[in-house]
Structure formats: C-alpha cells, structure tokens
C-alpha cells in the first residue's frame, strides 16, 4: 500500500516542482520514475516523492552553496602549511583546490540529507516520531516502537551528541512505557559500520550499515547498492554539469579576486602575503 510522505519531509520539500531534475538529466519523468520504483521496490508515487527529494536536498542544496564562493571565507579555510607541502605555486591552483574542497564538503552534506530522505520514504511503516526529539523517523509494530537517527557515516556523532541521544532515549522510553509500549532508539549510519552493537552505558543500538539498509529495503540484503544506483541515476548528471560548467567559472572568478590579496601580480602565489592574510 502506498504511504503518504512523512510530514517532516513534506515541510522540507514543500510544493517544489520536480521538472528541473528531469530537465537537467534530459530524462522523461515517467521513465525515471519507473526506474526508481523498480530499483527500490517502491510504488510510483513514492518514487516521485524521492525524485522531488533529490532535487531539493541534493541539487537544490548544491546550487545554493555554489552560487558564489567568498574569498574571505575560502582564505579562512586555507591551510598555508599544507599548500607549501603540496607545492602549489599559482593563485589559480589555490583557487582550484578551494573550489574542489568546497564541492566535496557541500556534496557530503547534501548526500547525507538525501540518504535520510530515501530511508524515510522507503522504510516500511516509517512515520514521523510522535515524540519528535532527535529521531528522524520511527517504525511502529504493535507495542514495539523503534526510533531511527540517521547519519551519513558511523563517525558523524561526537561524544556529546551520543550522551544527549542516550538521555533523550530514556525520556522517550519512559513516555512510551506510560502508553504501554516498548521503545528502542537506533543510531543508523548509511555506510562504514560493520557490526551492530550496544556499548555499556549507551541507551541506543548502533546499527550495522548493511543491516540498516536491509531494514529499509524490507529484507533486501543488497538494498544499499540499489540506493547507490538510484543516487547515480538522480544526481550524477547534475554533478557532471557542476564539474564541467560551474567549477571552471568559479575557479576563474576566485582566482581573479584573490590575485591582489595573495598573488604577486603575475599569477603566482605570494606566500608572505598569504600568511599575513590568514594570520594577520
């Protein structure tokens, strides 16, 4: 049975059209919708919601982050010692490295949001948490409630957040116990965690990445690979467009703006000026 889009995802996506996603890859909407539905074994309406999510959470975020790069922001993120080690000698090389670094960081963030949306859309019986605190969605099966906090990788949660998550689980568990239900909190990483475990003093279960995607895929042990295929289908053409068109333009613009600040007037880096801009 087709499920409605979780309310939290509806708030994120709003009523944005999906035509830009289709136009960017020159793919007919019914065709791409059918491919997504087949790969992920979900109804057509859920596949369409996922396409909208890809436009909003990957393409939209990337366009927003890459509309401009500010020279002062990029200088703050420049490690001048590393530049010396790598032997960068021109302002353009500095600009190219900054643009690629920003691209990778932006993409990690955007893909993380997209994978969270895919999990919400595809996980059987997923719904918004009735006690919305730290969890992205929950799955209710009779008197058992499992809350999922989804992160990109296993090391994305610092110790302070782990302590907060355990405290939250104690409160949510107590609230559900008053309703006669059992609650389990799960930390789910999209990749990199090999085993499921629950450390002493830790209130949540750290789910193995493959087990997480197997649950999302309703028992399909290779569902993570299918999700990867869908990510490529929905996002690879747009990323190619960024690399071929947007990145060169940004490199040229950033290099031109930086020449006076950190260049020697002939396109080469002036490391004395660079160090003084970074460490005034």
């Amino acid at each position: 049975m087709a499920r409605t889009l979780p309310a939290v995802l509806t708030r994120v996506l709003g009523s944005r059209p999906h035509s830009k996603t289709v136009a960017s890859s020159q793919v007919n909407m019914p065709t791409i919708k059918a491919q997504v539905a087949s790969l992920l074994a979900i109804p057509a309406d859920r596949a369409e919601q996922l396409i909208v999510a890809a436009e909003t959470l990957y393409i939209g975020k990337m366009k927003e982050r890459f509309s401009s790069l500010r020279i002062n922001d990029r200088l703050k993120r420049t490690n001048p010692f590393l530049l010396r080690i790598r032997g960068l000698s021109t302002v353009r090389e500095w600009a190219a490295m900054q643009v690629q670094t920003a691209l990778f960081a932006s993409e990690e963030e955007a893909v993380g949001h997209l994978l969270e949306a895919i999990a919400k859309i595809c996980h059987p019986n997923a719904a918004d948490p009735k006690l919305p605190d730290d969890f992205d969605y929950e799955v209710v099966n009779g008197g058992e409630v499992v809350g999922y906090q989804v992160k990109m990788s296993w090391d994305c949660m610092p110790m302070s957040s782990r302590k907060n998550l355990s405290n939250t689980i104690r409160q949510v568990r107590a609230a559900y116990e008053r309703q006669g239900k059992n609650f389990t909190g799960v930390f789910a990483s999209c990749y990199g965690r090999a085993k499921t475990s629950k450390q002493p003093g830790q209130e949540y279960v750290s789910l193995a990445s493959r087990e997480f995607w197997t649950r999302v895929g309703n028992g399909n042990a290779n569902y993570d690979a299918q999700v990867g295929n869908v990510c490529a289908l929905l996002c690879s053409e747009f990323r190619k467009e960024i690399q071929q068109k947007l990145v060169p333009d940004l490199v040229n613009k950033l290099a031109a703006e930086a020449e006076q600040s950190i260049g020697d007037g002939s396109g080469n880096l002036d490391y004395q000026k660079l160090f003084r801009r970074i460490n005034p």
Side-chain angles (χ1 to χ4, degrees):
M1 179 180 296
R3 292 172 286 133
T4 58
L5 189 65
V8 66
L9 193 55
T10 303
R11 290 195 297 271
V12 173
L13 301 181
S15 58
R16 291 170 59 96
H18 51 248
S19 57
K20 291 181 182 178
T21 304
V22 180
S24 67
S25 58
Q26 299 299 309
V27 177
N28 180 270
M29 179 55 151
T31 300
I32 195 170
K33 184 165 64 174
Q35 288 177 297
V36 170
S38 176
L39 284 167
L40 297 181
I42 56 176
D45 65 325
R46 306 297 292 179
E48 187 168 348
Q49 291 162 359
L50 197 153
I51 293 168
V52 177
E55 183 200 348
T56 305
L57 299 174
Y58 181 83
I59 297 175
K61 291 283 186 184
M62 293 288 282
K63 281 185 176 179
E64 179 183 337
R65 293 286 294 273
F66 264 73
S67 59
S68 65
L69 289 178
R70 299 175 184 273
I71 181 173
N72 288 337
D73 290 340
R74 298 321 308 173
L75 283 170
K76 289 178 183 177
R77 290 167 172 79
T78 295
N79 182 336
F81 307 99
L82 187 58
L83 294 191
R84 295 298 286 173
I85 292 171
R86 291 179 175 176
L88 271 66
S89 59
T90 69
V91 176
R92 183 173 180 81
E93 288 174 341
W94 168 84
M97 189 183 78
Q98 291 303 312
V99 171
Q100 288 296 339
T101 299
L103 171 62
F104 294 148
S106 299
E107 192 168 39
E108 281 280 330
E109 179 183 356
V111 171
H113 290 306
L114 176 58
L115 291 174
E116 178 188 324
I118 290 174
K120 290 178 181 177
I121 290 171
C122 298
H123 199 140
N125 302 316
D128 286 319
K130 289 187 172 61
L131 302 171
D133 200 344
D134 285 345
F135 295 100
D136 297 302
Y137 65 91
E138 68 182 20
V139 176
V140 180
N141 184 10
E144 300 293 327
V145 182
V146 180
Y148 289 83
Q149 184 182 96
V150 182
K151 296 292 184 183
M152 177 69 124
S153 66
W154 64 271
D155 59 350
C156 281
M157 187 163 59
M159 290 302 298
S160 59
S161 297
R162 298 178 190 187
K163 183 177 180 180
N164 290 339
L165 181 59
S166 289
N167 290 336
T168 295
I169 289 172
R170 294 186 188 98
Q171 297 172 19
V172 174
R173 183 189 296 133
Y176 271 116
E177 284 177 352
R178 290 192 289 271
Q179 301 175 27
K181 296 180 179 180
N182 296 319
F183 178 80
T184 302
V186 168
F187 172 69
S189 56
C190 293
Y191 74 88
R193 185 164 188 86
K195 296 181 180 180
T196 295
S197 65
K198 186 174 183 292
Q199 300 298 326
Q202 173 179 294
E203 297 296 330
Y204 57 89
V205 175
S206 296
L207 202 60
S209 301
R210 188 176 184 185
E211 183 179 349
F212 167 59
W213 287 114
T214 299
R215 291 188 186 186
V216 172
N218 200 23
N220 184 344
N222 295 311
Y223 203 71
D224 52 353
Q226 298 297 86
V227 170
N229 291 336
V230 168
C231 288
L233 177 66
L234 297 179
C235 303
S236 61
E237 286 298 319
F238 177 71
R239 192 187 194 284
K240 187 184 300 181
E241 182 180 325
I242 288 178
Q243 286 282 22
Q244 293 177 350
K245 297 179 181 179
L246 192 56
V247 165
D249 289 343
L250 282 172
V251 170
N252 291 336
K253 180 179 179 182
L254 196 60
E257 292 179 356
E259 175 61 38
Q260 184 175 358
S261 297
I262 61 175
D264 66 354
S266 61
N268 294 317
L269 279 169
D270 183 326
Y271 272 98
Q272 186 72 20
K273 291 170 67 175
L274 177 65
F275 270 89
R276 292 292 65 81
R277 277 301 305 269
I278 297 171
N279 297 331

